[in-house]
């Protein structure tokens, strides 16, 4: 009888240990978030031109299988015609040049907790006194688990 109690206690202990030590990978987020223009008029898109003093409209849909986190919008010059990973779009570029007064923009945004889908809409004023030429508009999207997706877009600022 004592042996049965010991075996029963061991079995109960093993069951309790297994229940407490569940597979955490079942709920672990292993996927990157997505950046899409599906179902909306995405903006900006590659090769669009904007004038100084106008508005750069931003309109994209973000998604994630579990939960979104935050995103950053950035504009930087592309006067040297560098490329970003996964960006193989070719627009008509100006000649390479050294920046004098390039447009530099960077702003971070927090997505409300619990969102699996979010539409980012912003109007970014384009300064009147920046260098004309080729620029990259960048979106950096991070989900709540820390996975990042980027979207580079080539734009041009004209007179």
């Amino acid at each position: 009888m004592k042996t049965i109690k010991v075996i029963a206690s061991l079995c109960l202990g093993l069951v309790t240990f297994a229940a407490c030590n569940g597979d955490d990978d079942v709920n672990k987020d292993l996927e990157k978030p997505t950046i899409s223009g599906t179902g909306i008029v995405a903006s900006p898109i590659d090769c669009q031109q904007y004038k100084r003093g106008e508005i750069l409209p931003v309109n994209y849909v973000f998604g994630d299988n579990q939960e979104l986190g935050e995103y950053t919008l950035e504009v930087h010059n592309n006067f040297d015609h560098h490329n970003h990973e996964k960006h193989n779009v070719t627009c008509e570029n100006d000649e390479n040049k050294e920046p004098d007064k390039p447009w530099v923009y960077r702003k971070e945004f927090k997505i409300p907790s619990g969102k699996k889908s979010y539409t980012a809409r912003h109007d970014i004023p384009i300064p009147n006194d920046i260098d004309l030429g080729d620029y990259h508009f960048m979106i950096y999207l991070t989900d709540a688990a820390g996975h990042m997706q980027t979207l580079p877009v080539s734009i041009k600022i004209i007179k």
Side-chain angles (χ1 to χ4, degrees):
M1 185 69 132
K2 195 174 187 180
T3 306
I4 294 174
K5 284 183 180 179
V6 170
I7 292 174
S9 293
L10 285 173
C11 288
L12 182 61
L14 285 173
V15 169
T16 303
F17 178 76
C20 293
N21 222 14
D23 188 1
D24 289 338
D25 287 343
V26 171
N27 294 321
K28 192 172 187 179
D29 185 354
L30 302 174
E31 294 180 31
K32 288 183 176 185
T34 60
I35 303 170
S36 172
T38 303
I40 62 168
V41 177
S43 179
I45 59 171
D46 281 309
C47 305
Q48 282 187 315
Q49 297 183 356
Y50 299 91
K51 294 181 180 179
R52 290 188 287 198
E54 289 185 341
I55 296 295
L56 174 66
V58 177
N59 195 23
Y60 279 93
V61 176
F62 304 149
D64 191 62
N65 63 319
Q66 290 194 6
E67 184 178 0
L68 292 165
E70 60 189 34
Y71 62 102
T72 300
L73 302 179
E74 176 185 290
V75 178
H76 63 263
N77 78 75
N78 188 24
F79 300 160
D80 62 356
H81 303 114
H82 63 271
N83 243 344
H84 292 273
E85 185 180 334
K86 300 178 190 172
H87 189 241
N88 53 8
V89 174
T90 303
C91 302
E92 187 177 321
N93 289 321
D94 296 341
E95 289 186 26
N96 285 12
K97 66 180 182 180
E98 288 295 318
D100 180 39
K101 192 167 185 189
W103 184 17
V104 178
Y105 176 89
R106 184 175 179 89
K107 190 165 182 182
E108 297 174 8
F109 302 88
K110 182 80 174 133
I111 298 171
S113 296
K115 296 278 189 181
K116 289 185 179 184
S117 180
Y118 183 80
T119 301
R121 290 190 177 101
H122 301 278
D123 288 330
I124 302 172
I126 302 170
N128 284 312
D129 59 348
I130 59 168
D131 291 338
L132 301 176
D134 302 309
Y135 285 84
H136 281 148
F137 170 80
M138 302 288 297
I139 299 174
Y140 301 95
L141 174 64
T142 307
D143 67 12
H147 303 293
M148 181 185 276
Q149 186 66 263
T150 61
L151 177 69
V153 178
S154 293
I155 62 172
K156 186 181 294 283
I157 305 300
I158 60 174
K159 283 187 179 184

